[in-house]
Amino acid sequence: MMTATMVVATIPVTDLELSKRFYGEIVGLTFLWETPFAARYRCGAVSELSIFKRPPVTSEHTLAHFEVDDIEAEVKNLVANGVEFLDYSEGPLTTSGHIAQLGPARGAWFHDPDGNTLGIRQG
């Protein structure tokens, strides 16, 4: 059995400087360290997120989501920082105020500057 102490979400980006500003200033993660090709941020007490520079890639699924206590407040804060949320009006997900009900949980999704899908989840 693996004895890892943490799992780190790792997200590819094409413009490291632009993405550092997005994850640090817009999303509000705590900057930890950087190299010429990557940067690491703290999310909460024990989670971390890395971004690394690479050529463009396409992903059609959520690469990482942030577990939060108050999804409405987080959505409001991100909208105030210029984040545009993905809204769904048909299919298995429908959003109201950018938030979808997912059984007992609720979620919201947005893109980073490279179009990577990120989520917020409460519950």
Side-chain angles (χ1 to χ4, degrees):
M1 171 178 256
M2 185 180 301
T3 59
T5 59
M6 173 181 15
V7 173
V8 179
T10 305
I11 298 177
V13 301
T14 57
D15 184 329
L16 190 59
E17 291 305 314
L18 177 64
S19 294
K20 284 172 26 185
R21 283 191 300 278
F22 178 79
Y23 285 96
E25 296 171 20
I26 306 257
V27 177
L29 304 181
T30 303
F31 175 79
L32 295 174
W33 55 261
E34 70 181 292
T35 69
F37 55 86
R40 173 90 51 109
Y41 296 86
R42 179 165 315 285
C43 312
V46 297
S47 297
E48 295 182 6
L49 181 137
S50 284
I51 56 175
F52 68 99
K53 187 172 174 148
R54 65 165 293 155
V57 296
T58 302
S59 174
E60 295 184 16
H61 65 279
T62 304
L63 293 183
H65 74 266
F66 303 92
E67 295 281 333
V68 300
D69 292 326
D70 185 346
I71 195 167
E72 286 92 357
E74 297 293 345
V75 167
K76 183 179 178 181
N77 181 48
L78 288 170
V79 166
N81 284 340
V83 171
E84 294 182 18
F85 279 82
L86 304 173
D87 287 312
Y88 304 98
S89 59
E90 52 188 66
L93 289 177
T94 57
T95 53
S96 175
H98 308 303
I99 300 169
Q101 191 69 43
L102 308 167
R106 294 182 300 153
W109 298 267
F110 59 97
H111 289 141
D112 75 358
D114 280 281
N116 294 310
T117 303
L118 305 170
I120 302 173
R121 182 182 177 278
Q122 178 182 343

